Amino acid sequence: MTERCSADFYEEVNRSFDKAAAYTDHDPTLLAQIRGCNSVYHVNFPVRRDDGSIEVIQAWRAEHSQHRLPTKGGIRYSMAVCRNEVMALAALMTYKCAVVDVPFGGAKGGIQVSRHAYSEAELERITRRYTFELVRKNFLGPGIDVPAPDFGSGPQEMSWIADTYNTLAPDKLDALACVTGKPVGQGGIRGRTEATGLGVFYGLRHACSFVEDMRVLGLESGLGGKTVVVQGLGNVGYHAAKFLQEGGARLVALAEYEGAIHDPAGLDLERVVAHRAETGSILDYPGAENVAPTARALELDCDILVPAALENQLTAENAPRIRAKIVAEAANGPTTTAAEDILRRRGVFFLPDLYLNAGGVTVSYFEWLKNLSHVRFGRMDKRFEEGLHRRLLASVERVTGGHFTDDENRSLGTGAGELELVYSGLEDTMLSAYEEIRAAQHKHGLGNDVRTAAFVVAIDKIAAAYETRGIWP
Ligand code: NAD
């Protein structure tokens, strides 16, 4: 049974597209081609439960655009998954990849299960069978369509997918590139786990560095001391909260499905996580006030609200009560168009999903490149760089007669390994993309409408990709 289907989500994405398309002068037929979802595969398959009974599972894979190949997007494990939701999420992936210059088309998958209701062995059977069904219809492969984790899935599921694909295509040298977000020992890349949350941090830190943009909001520039509410402490929310806290922001409320906690003096993320591991809930955290229902956390006083759970969390119903000055969309589609209209009229600044949570797909791109090249980033040059740096430091010491401390020698004398290179590539991507979006915002006189500016950037790049094929003039 479907708990809830985001029937309007796809329409929401298309509304944003249409609004942005009006700022471009592309051929209307080309715009229609970019906007439409190219292929959707819906499959039912039986799975044997541990008690011997058989259950029929529904699943989807949507490939929104093949203007670049492979297509790319996560697989969601949730009872709320439906056709519209995967189409909306696949469309967002197309625009997201374009915004951050990741040369992929957009896709998304969904398996309609509540993962907590299944044992590990059952989830493995479901994941392997889903993979088999994708291969059967040519919806999976390093040059075709490359899934990744999303809500309800992680490295374990990705490793089952890679293994199943490998079993079905044993002679394929590039088989590991069929999926990203794998464990490092199975062809994954260092830094992928935290990539989306870290990208949220880089994007927010950069957006908050513009003095003139922050002044309009009545805020100082920089992240230091800014109060933050995070909804969802999964992969994205946890890492976004962690990096924001380390970057000097104050976490005043955290929300999970079981409830929310609030402490204006600031919550210690790691202690909250330890408390949840011990008690099974974030509620009753010492010194904090419980907030019920959990969605009320979205309405608390803060500078930055980070929805990092699911779509449709900020709606026309609760928008009038939202007090945040910045909404940082770590989740996909957390704000309805109606809510954004209400909030932006009040001057609230939005960092939209198609930009802000693109860190995951960016590092997935790096993982895919690593799998295709069969070599870890930094393997060829780390030691060479280290030798060079050490010789440089020694020369400086000789010329100046001074001495570097052990700490300085360590930090200045090392070469970049895979993690440092991934972080550097991710940071550069998030900063460069924001510069492009901000330029489009100013060029088209879009005021504080960052979402429309990001869509304009995406549409222009996708149109250029079609135009270079010679189909459209
Ligand atoms: P996840 O499953 O790791 O975490 C989601 C968290 O939200 C869970 O801890 C869950 O308990 C919590 N949650 C569920 N319902 C809630 C509610 N009503 N209130 C508060 N918390 C609730 O998923 P994730 O990978 O972190 O994805 C979260 C969002 O980020 C999704 O919208 C996803 O599409 C998006 N996203 C994920 C990635 C990625 O790399 N994982 C990349 C881009 C975007």
Side-chain angles (χ1 to χ4, degrees), residues 9 74 76-77 89 92-93 96 108 115-116 148-154 192-197 200 230-239 254-260 276 294-295 298 307-311 313 329-334 353 356-361 364:
F9 189 11
R76 189 168 274 206
Y77 286 53
L89 290 164
L92 267 181
M93 284 304 297
K96 194 180 297 185
K108 204 78 176 192
R115 61 168 302 133
H116 307 292
D150 192 69
F151 187 93
S153 63
R192 174 60 183 91
T193 306
E194 65 270 36
T196 308
V200 168
V230 179
Q231 182 198 41
L233 284 181
N235 176 286
V236 178
Y238 165 77
H239 287 106
L254 297 169
E256 254 297 335
Y257 68 90
E258 71 267 20
R276 192 176 191 218
T294 184
L298 301 169
L310 282 167
E311 56 264 24
Q313 297 302 299
E329 292 189 339
N332 282 311
D353 47 9
L356 196 66
N357 68 33
V361 74
S364 275

Side-chain angles (χ1 to χ4, degrees), residues 137-384:
K137 296 287 182 198
N138 219 16
F139 270 73
L140 182 70
I144 301 169
D145 188 347
V146 180
D150 192 69
F151 187 93
S153 63
Q156 175 63 84
E157 288 74 19
M158 303 308 115
S159 103
W160 288 328
I161 292 171
D163 185 59
T164 310
Y165 182 80
N166 213 3
T167 311
L168 294 168
D171 59 338
K172 270 217 171 111
L173 193 61
D174 294 332
L176 276 179
C178 77
V179 64
T180 60
K182 303 178 291 291
V184 173
Q186 208 195 353
I189 194 165
R190 288 162 188 80
R192 174 60 183 91
T193 306
E194 65 270 36
T196 308
L198 182 58
V200 168
F201 165 73
Y202 286 145
L204 254 171
R205 189 189 60 187
H206 195 49
C208 289
S209 72
F210 291 93
V211 178
E212 60 277 30
D213 294 355
M214 291 300 108
R215 195 181 301 126
V216 176
L217 300 170
L219 296 170
E220 299 279 316
S221 64
L223 274 180
K226 288 209 167 40
T227 54
V228 179
V229 172
V230 179
Q231 182 198 41
L233 284 181
N235 176 286
V236 178
Y238 165 77
H239 287 106
K242 173 179 179 287
F243 291 113
L244 286 168
Q245 186 165 56
E246 287 169 8
R250 180 152 42 102
L251 300 175
V252 293
L254 297 169
E256 254 297 335
Y257 68 90
E258 71 267 20
I261 50 173
H262 180 214
D263 182 355
L267 296 156
D268 182 315
L269 179 68
E270 293 310 328
R271 287 205 182 140
V272 172
V273 169
H275 169 81
R276 192 176 191 218
E278 200 181 302
T279 66
S281 166
I282 60 171
L283 294 173
D284 302 323
Y285 177 73
E289 166 209 359
N290 288 340
V291 178
T294 184
R296 209 172 63 70
L298 301 169
E299 301 164 19
L300 293 167
D301 238 342
C302 65
D303 297 322
I304 305 172
L305 173 60
V306 185
L310 282 167
E311 56 264 24
N312 294 338
Q313 297 302 299
L314 305 184
T315 62
E317 192 279 316
N318 63 5
R321 300 190 298 278
I322 304 294
R323 282 180 272 170
K325 294 180 173 142
I326 299 172
V327 175
E329 292 189 339
N332 282 311
T335 316
T336 65
T337 319
E340 183 174 353
D341 287 347
I342 295 169
L343 289 164
R344 272 201 311 102
R345 254 183 268 128
R346 276 195 5 227
V348 176
F349 184 74
F350 276 83
L351 282 168
D353 47 9
L354 78 156
Y355 163 66
L356 196 66
N357 68 33
V361 74
T362 301
V363 176
S364 275
Y365 169 47
F366 300 156
E367 180 176 335
W368 181 78
L369 291 174
K370 174 185 179 178
N371 294 152
L372 293 184
S373 63
H374 299 266
V375 64
R376 160 172 58 78
F377 289 105
R379 178 166 175 181
M380 308 296 283
D381 40 8
K382 182 175 160 67
R383 302 295 162 187
F384 174 78

